[in-house]
Amino acid sequence: MKEKLMEIRERAEKELSELRDASELENFRVQVLGKKGELTGILKQMGTLSAEERPKMGQLANEVRASIEAMLKEKTAELKGREQEAKLKKETIDVTLPGHKHEIGHKHPLSIVLDEVKDIFVGMGFQIATGPEVEWDYYNFEALNLPPDHPARDTQDTFYITEKMLLRTQTSPVQIRVMEKQEPPIRIIAPGRVYRSDAVDATHSPFFHQIEGLVVDKGITMGDLKGSLMQFAKRLYGEDTEIRLRPHHFPFTEPSCEMDVTCFKCGGKGCPMCKGEGWVEILGGGMVHPKVLKNGGVDPEVYSGYAFGVGLERLTMFRFNIDDMRLLFENDARFLNQF
Ligand code: DAH
């Protein structure tokens, strides 16, 4: 029996050193120390020993059990330590590695310029107005002094939804809508999309943006128009920018004008961009026609006003030296990332 006990202890020592995880350890414990384990089996045979030998063997068996338990404990602690170490190694973070870069977007060039234009006019006391893109023929043409057979309608052919409803060709209908709702003094700009049945090329698109301006009050003159638009041009394109007004015709203004600014590229000397002129046209405007004031419910005997309309794509192309309007709509990131 003594040899057996010693053999169990020796084997335990050897086997224990080879165990690798908690479940193997537990199996080992049951196999050796459990109720049906080897050591327990030997203790059960104690009855067959003589009264003299029994206490000696009992003591030895207890020592063997105690030493195996101690080894088990030590092994458990060792495995735990090793597990912890492996876990720490696995979870190490290298704080010197470069992080993941999150690409954040930015404003489209049209939005950049539109926001600048808004800032400039809001700074001069204008409010922002809007109107529908699906518009009545009445607001888009008739109320603006373009009756059904007016030849100027041909230059603004658009997409009709019904005979009387269309995609607006200009932001000018917002003038009428604002005057209908609001008593003078009126000082608004109205940015928005407009539509025309034009084929796409470097300077045309069936869809583009305009910014309308309208000021109505007592005693408004062409001088107010010129002063405000000069400020606008200088703020947008730089202090050195000069403007000039050329006579023109629009059905909804009288008198009407087109406004040029000194070429951004050559500063007025003449270059391919301005076709040698030194000037580029950026907007149309004039004094609001008395009929238009009337259609908006404003008395032309008491009030006068000026209006203007400017193409946002054109402003943006001049501003950033873009020579093809299509670039603004193609959403090519290689282009857009430059702004
Ligand atoms: N609506 C005109 C266009 O699309 C631009 C314009 C010209 C607007 C003169 C105005 C204006 O308010 O007074 O061509």
Side-chain angles (χ1 to χ4, degrees):
M1 188 172 283
K2 189 175 167 193
E3 287 82 58
K4 258 218 156 139
L5 281 171
M6 298 320 278
E7 189 212 316
I8 288 178
R9 178 154 64 183
E10 247 167 62
R11 203 150 32 84
E13 203 167 347
K14 200 167 147 248
E15 279 178 22
L16 254 177
S17 70
E18 283 161 9
L19 298 186
R20 292 218 250 107
D21 63 34
S23 73
E24 281 181 8
L25 267 183
E26 176 61 11
N27 285 344
F28 173 84
R29 194 189 61 79
V30 172
Q31 191 194 322
V32 181
L33 304 178
K35 268 190 202 147
K36 290 178 187 160
E38 287 174 49
L39 192 63
T40 321
I42 288 179
L43 289 177
K44 273 181 190 157
Q45 294 166 18
M46 294 287 262
T48 62
L49 294 175
S50 66
E52 229 173 82
E53 262 185 319
R54 217 176 292 155
K56 279 190 200 153
M57 277 307 140
Q59 199 189 355
L60 183 62
N62 277 340
E63 274 173 28
V64 170
R65 168 180 280 272
S67 85
I68 292 179
E69 274 173 351
M71 286 190 289
L72 254 175
K73 209 169 159 191
E74 200 179 310
K75 185 74 187 176
T76 307
E78 183 199 315
L79 279 184
K80 255 204 185 135
R82 236 190 273 163
E83 248 168 59
Q84 180 86 354
E85 211 172 292
K87 198 170 164 210
L88 282 177
K89 239 186 209 157
K90 215 167 83 189
E91 291 176 1
T92 316
I93 299 169
D94 183 351
V95 291
T96 64
L97 280 176
H100 295 287
K101 198 174 162 201
H102 292 279
E103 295 279 348
I104 45 171
H106 62 80
K107 284 195 275 188
H108 189 277
L110 287 174
S111 297
I112 296 173
V113 174
L114 177 57
D115 285 349
E116 284 177 11
V117 173
K118 281 182 181 168
D119 273 355
I120 294 169
F121 281 104
V122 167
M124 291 196 275
F126 285 64
Q127 288 177 321
I128 312 287
T130 53
E133 286 170 35
V134 175
E135 186 55 284
W136 297 108
D137 180 281
Y138 172 76
Y139 286 105
N140 194 76
F141 289 130
E142 240 177 290
L144 292 168
N145 201 26
L146 280 131
D149 294 319
H150 196 289
R153 282 191 177 211
D154 290 349
T155 62
Q156 298 194 5
D157 190 18
T158 182
F159 306 94
Y160 282 82
I161 287 158
T162 68
E163 204 155 294
K164 296 212 165 302
M165 198 192 274
L166 43 76
L167 295 186
R168 67 179 180 187
T169 61
Q170 47 188 354
T171 43
S172 305
V174 185
Q175 290 187 31
I176 306 291
R177 289 182 173 275
V178 169
M179 284 190 282
E180 279 180 348
K181 270 208 245 115
Q182 193 183 324
E183 298 275 312
I186 292 169
R187 213 177 270 114
I188 59 109
I189 57 164
R193 295 190 185 108
V194 299
Y195 302 84
R196 296 193 191 174
S197 62
D198 283 334
V200 175
D201 66 25
T203 53
H204 290 87
S205 160
F207 136 90
F208 57 103
H209 299 79
Q210 287 187 334
I211 305 158
E212 194 76 13
L214 175 69
V215 171
V216 181
D217 202 352
K218 287 179 181 160
I220 296 292
T221 69
M222 201 83 177
D224 296 306
L225 175 145
K226 188 169 179 183
S228 305
L229 293 182
M230 184 156 74
Q231 276 313 308
F232 162 62
K234 284 179 182 295
R235 291 277 308 278
L236 190 65
Y237 291 122
E239 265 313 301
D240 298 337
T241 309
E242 300 290 340
I243 64 162
R244 76 174 181 191
L245 301 182
R246 277 181 292 101
H248 200 75
H249 172 263
F250 296 105
F252 28 84
T253 42
E254 179 59 35
S256 304
C257 63
E258 275 191 336
M259 182 171 110
D260 299 338
V261 296
T262 38
C263 176
F264 330 93
K265 213 160 191 186
C266 63
K269 285 188 218 92
C271 69
M273 169 115 177
C274 57
K275 300 192 182 85
E277 295 254 342
W279 299 92
V280 289
E281 180 245 313
I282 63 162
L283 59 82
M287 298 305 291
V288 182
H289 197 292
K291 277 192 189 165
V292 173
L293 288 174
K294 243 188 241 163
N295 289 339
V298 172
D299 185 351
E301 299 295 331
V302 182
Y303 295 103
S304 58
Y306 72 77
F308 60 89
V310 46
L312 179 60
E313 280 72 12
R314 236 175 121 72
L315 286 186
T316 306
M317 288 165 74
F318 289 146
R319 176 62 210 280
F320 292 125
N321 246 315
I322 300 165
D323 58 7
D324 193 325
M325 184 149 100
R326 286 168 289 202
L327 290 166
L328 293 171
F329 300 126
E330 282 166 354
N331 285 337
D332 187 331
R334 288 169 302 179
F335 169 73
L336 294 175
N337 283 340
Q338 299 173 55
F339 298 92

